[in-house]
Amino acid sequence: MPGPSILPLHERDHPLDARFSYLSISYHDSLSFVTVVALNRPKKRNAINAQMWKEIGDAFRQLGTTGDGCRCVLLTGSGKGFCGGIDITDEKFFSGISGGGDADKHGPSRDMARQSLAFRSQILEMQAAFTAVGECPVPVVAAIHGACVGAGIDLTCCADVRVCSPNAMFSIREVRLGLAADVGTLQRFPKIVGFGSLVRELCLTGDDFNAEDALKIGFVSRISRTNDDLANTANSICQRISRNSPVAATVTKASLNYSRDHTIAEGLEHVALHNSTALMSEDLVKSFLMSRGAADAQFAPLQSHSRL
């Protein structure tokens, strides 16, 4: 049976949408400050090919930086499931392993060290594309239904909040394909749920785990009441995030990310540096009044990021 529809029924066009072939990007139909990004290869169960991989990085490097008022991104998948993993039929992923990416005039190198050095750049490029999700300045909420395996886990590990439907099924599948996951799961997943025995079991066996398992270990924060209710569950979180000051949300996300990878002392210094500026914002008074019962504040959008 098809999974629930997460996309708004009457989504509004987003200027970035036309740039991508395998992502659908739209403004949410009812939440003014939420942008919806959908993996859009439903006939392939949203398996990620090389082009789609690049598009994910390109999109998330832009979202939240263009001054369009975006305060939160809802990440989802079209069709029956969130993501079926890497598209192993796309030869571009593996051409470097066989030396097919070697443009040397003497032909493909037979030297394993040279092939390895050449292939490393592709792995780093793939890692950077997903890292862009985590580095997106505004919070990212992943709404997961159906299958979320392999690269789907890598991708959702980079989201700030994850919710799923009761029919969600997860798998760190790479080990069953003959490789170690190398674009983030082995680094991010244990930091989300801990380094315990179960994590190692899931990573070393490639076994499936279901929505209840994901909730129990803390990989998702909520399971929707029904499969069809996933949209409402995700929308509610996005709405509650986006009604807050975008300055406060951005600094909070930056501090959480920094503190995850540093000592407490370093994290405290980091947030002090940010808040020494952020507390000068007009949003502080507006947020205080809103907390005392005033109507939702009219926060100014984050400015477009300066670029060369």
Side-chain angles (χ1 to χ4, degrees), residues 19-198:
R19 293 176 49 183
F20 303 112
S21 300
Y22 298 115
L23 298 179
S24 172
I25 303 180
S26 60
Y27 292 115
H28 200 288
D29 63 334
S30 59
L31 301 178
S32 300
F33 306 110
V34 177
T35 299
V36 181
V37 177
L39 309 181
N40 196 26
R41 295 187 76 205
K43 293 183 179 179
K44 296 289 187 179
R45 296 184 180 269
N46 297 320
I48 305 177
N49 61 12
Q51 181 59 36
M52 186 184 193
W53 208 295
K54 292 179 182 178
E55 290 182 3
I56 290 169
D58 290 345
F60 278 93
R61 292 183 189 103
Q62 294 291 319
L63 292 166
T65 73
T66 63
D68 66 350
C70 175
R71 298 181 190 174
C72 183
V73 175
L74 174 58
L75 173 63
T76 185
S78 304
K80 295 181 179 181
F82 179 80
C83 178
I86 190 172
D87 184 353
I88 60 175
T89 68
D90 189 341
E91 296 179 355
K92 290 183 179 179
F93 283 125
F94 309 106
S95 61
I97 298 176
S98 62
D102 189 342
D104 187 272
K105 64 181 180 179
H106 300 297
S109 174
R110 296 181 181 275
D111 187 283
M112 292 300 296
R114 285 172 170 78
Q115 287 191 31
S116 175
L117 290 171
F119 188 57
R120 178 175 178 271
S121 61
Q122 177 182 316
I123 297 175
L124 294 176
E125 182 181 2
M126 293 170 69
Q127 291 173 349
F130 283 6
T131 296
V133 179
E135 293 180 347
C136 178
V138 300
V140 178
V141 176
I144 305 160
H145 70 287
C148 177
V149 302
I153 298 281
D154 290 305
L155 179 59
T156 53
C157 278
C158 298
D160 299 288
V161 179
R162 289 164 296 278
V163 297
C164 72
S165 61
N167 72 348
M169 185 279 295
F170 304 87
S171 176
I172 302 168
R173 189 66 59 83
E174 286 85 350
V175 71
R176 288 167 59 180
L177 299 177
L179 69 152
D182 59 3
V183 291
T185 290
L186 300 184
Q187 292 70 40
R188 295 186 176 99
F189 187 73
K191 287 197 173 184
I192 295 168
V193 305
F195 283 84
S197 175
L198 180 59

Side-chain angles (χ1 to χ4, degrees), residues 205-279:
T205 63
D207 287 349
D208 296 346
F209 58 103
N210 61 26
E212 290 292 342
D213 296 327
L215 179 64
K216 183 178 180 180
I217 64 177
F219 186 62
V220 300
S221 53
R222 298 177 189 274
I223 303 173
S224 60
R225 185 174 55 86
T226 65
N227 292 332
D228 291 334
D229 196 46
L230 178 59
N232 291 331
T233 301
N235 289 343
S236 175
I237 295 172
C238 291
Q239 190 274 334
R240 300 201 308 276
I241 290 173
S242 62
R243 74 188 297 264
N244 294 323
S245 158
V247 172
T250 295
V251 173
T252 296
K253 173 172 178 171
S255 181
L256 285 168
N257 285 351
Y258 186 89
S259 296
R260 175 193 61 206
D261 301 325
H262 295 79
T263 67
I264 292 175
E266 290 167 334
L268 289 170
E269 178 65 24
H270 178 268
V271 75
L273 179 62
H274 275 276
N275 261 5
S276 63
T277 301
L279 290 177

